[in-house]
Amino acid sequence: MPDNNRDNTAEDIINFYKTASTDELCKRAASLCESIHGKEIILRGLIEFTNYCSQDCLYCGIRKSNKNAVRYRIDKDEIIKIVSMGYNAGLRTFVLQGGEDPYYTADKICRILEQIKKKTEYKASVTLSIGVKSRKTYRKFREAGADRYLIRFETSDRELYQSIKINSSFEKRIAAIHDIKELGYEAGSGYMTGLPGETEETRINNALLCRKLELDMVGVGPFIPSNNTPLAASPKMPLEYAIRATALLRLLLPKAHIPATTAAGTIDQHGREKMVRAGANILMPNLTPVEVKKHYLLYPDKICLDENANEIIKGLGERMSAIDRKISFSRGSALRLGK
Ligand code: 5AD
């Protein structure tokens, strides 16, 4: 496969992936990343505003049936305060993430979106990550100011999907991604690596599905067995799966925004740096207030639990300069939209 050729076919890329060492793969992906995105790593402020969830995904620590989870909600005024603080710290993109919490009706979410837009003088991009909704609801959110939507498909293996996301439909989730794109959102999806029952073929298909969906953002992280869930005793798989996935995604989707995920930083102290070296160009400082952050436990041993936003941003800046990157406060809009 020729160096940095942006027009490689998916087949060329997969053949290279299959034979390349992780080091070779990462080098190729990082150099392609730099040729498009430079050395800048864009920060997106993450606010985990509710951990109530009506879903019962077997892998997730905030699943409905986990009676040990301590539940919380952050109300609208508090969300606006958190966004203002992040905005004053320089952030220009925010992600509102939550469990599928019926308390937050479409109207409530719209009011929050409108206020965030106003408060940030329409200079910040807002991403929602709150699960499958109807097309009508996605349209309402869009009209109220949502710019982007994240909805991971978690695995491209339909049978595996149906066995771990009970009462959820793979087809509906993929249809939701199409709805989002058609409504003019910048669309994000992604998956976990190392799920029980997953194979190397699944991992290749996961990445190919992201390319087929022409995603603007792709998040991938290692599955971490979570206490008090049916998958608690599953084996921990190597971070290398997620590192190789990041590099493969960069080669398949050169323009996409790809985060170095918290899950990677959780199972390896330098997991996020490794992901950046594999072609990731986004970091997501967690702005969730310290008092409740510890309860948004999708998986155990989450990092940065006792740090506030400014400390986190400073720490990320230092970590990035140590690997010859620099943090950026850009809105990080999708490159396909003419930038
Ligand atoms: N390990 C790693 N990632 C997880 N997620 C949920 N549970 C886990 C887990 N146990 C991921 C899912 C979800 C995202 C918000 O967090 O991919 O989409």
Side-chain angles (χ1 to χ4, degrees), residues 59-61 97 129 152 154 173 191-192 221-226 263 296 298-300:
Y59 51 83
C60 186
Q97 186 175 94
S129 175
R152 287 188 178 182
E154 313 297 0
R173 208 159 173 92
Y191 52 93
M192 288 176 278
F223 160 63
I224 308 172
S226 192
Y296 199 83
L298 308 183
Y299 45 79

Side-chain angles (χ1 to χ4, degrees), residues 21-42:
S21 69
T22 300
D23 219 34
E24 282 173 315
L25 193 59
C26 289
K27 276 205 184 102
R28 185 70 64 86
S31 119
L32 178 58
C33 185
E34 191 176 333
S35 76
I36 293 171
H37 303 273
K39 286 184 187 287
E40 296 201 335
I41 305 296
I42 300 166

Side-chain angles (χ1 to χ4, degrees), residues 48-266:
E48 299 156 331
F49 69 100
T50 171
N51 72 349
Y52 282 83
C53 195
S54 58
Q55 300 299 303
D56 225 2
C57 308
L58 300 195
Y59 51 83
C60 186
I62 64 166
R63 66 197 298 266
K64 177 172 86 179
S65 299
N66 183 4
K67 302 291 177 232
N68 290 303
V70 178
R71 305 285 170 174
Y72 72 88
R73 290 187 179 105
I74 301 177
D75 69 21
K76 179 170 114 234
D77 293 349
E78 180 73 14
I79 294 173
I80 304 303
K81 264 195 216 152
I82 299 166
V83 168
S84 298
M85 186 195 61
Y87 188 75
N88 292 335
L91 298 175
R92 291 295 176 269
T93 147
F94 298 91
V95 180
L96 292 184
Q97 186 175 94
E100 296 200 15
D101 180 355
Y103 169 84
Y104 287 98
T105 57
D107 283 344
K108 282 203 179 94
I109 296 288
C110 288
R111 300 296 87 75
I112 293 170
L113 288 164
E114 287 156 4
Q115 282 233 14
I116 293 180
K117 285 289 178 174
K118 235 196 205 149
K119 199 77 189 182
T120 59
E121 301 159 302
Y122 301 88
K123 288 183 187 137
S125 283
V126 184
T127 305
L128 290 177
S129 175
I130 52 175
V132 174
K133 310 277 176 193
S134 70
R135 198 183 165 95
K136 199 170 132 211
T137 302
Y138 287 141
R139 183 176 288 118
K140 273 194 186 167
F141 293 162
R142 183 93 184 97
E143 285 165 3
D147 303 280
R148 307 175 182 156
Y149 207 98
L150 298 178
I151 182 160
R152 287 188 178 182
F153 57 75
E154 313 297 0
T155 178
S156 61
D157 178 334
R158 205 188 156 282
E159 267 175 42
L160 177 57
Y161 180 101
Q162 295 303 158
S163 71
I164 56 175
K165 282 184 80 73
I166 44 179
N167 302 324
S168 165
S169 144
F170 180 75
E171 280 70 28
K172 283 198 183 137
R173 208 159 173 92
I174 299 294
I177 299 173
H178 289 295
D179 283 344
I180 285 159
K181 289 181 57 158
E182 282 161 27
L183 289 164
Y185 283 92
E186 295 176 35
S189 187
Y191 52 93
M192 288 176 278
T193 55
L195 285 168
E198 168 192 302
T199 63
E200 181 63 10
E201 195 191 348
T202 319
R203 288 189 285 278
I204 290 174
N205 288 336
N206 287 343
L208 286 173
L209 179 54
C210 293
R211 174 152 156 146
K212 189 169 151 213
L213 291 168
E214 299 183 329
L215 299 172
D216 301 302
M217 304 172 281
V218 190
V220 50
F223 160 63
I224 308 172
S226 192
N227 312 328
N228 305 308
T229 66
L231 298 185
S234 298
K236 286 187 185 142
M237 290 302 172
L239 176 63
E240 192 168 355
Y241 290 170
I243 304 287
R244 288 182 71 85
T246 303
L248 175 57
L249 286 165
R250 173 57 67 210
L251 296 175
L252 287 168
L253 287 153
K255 288 185 178 173
H257 289 303
I258 301 179
T261 48
T262 309
T266 295

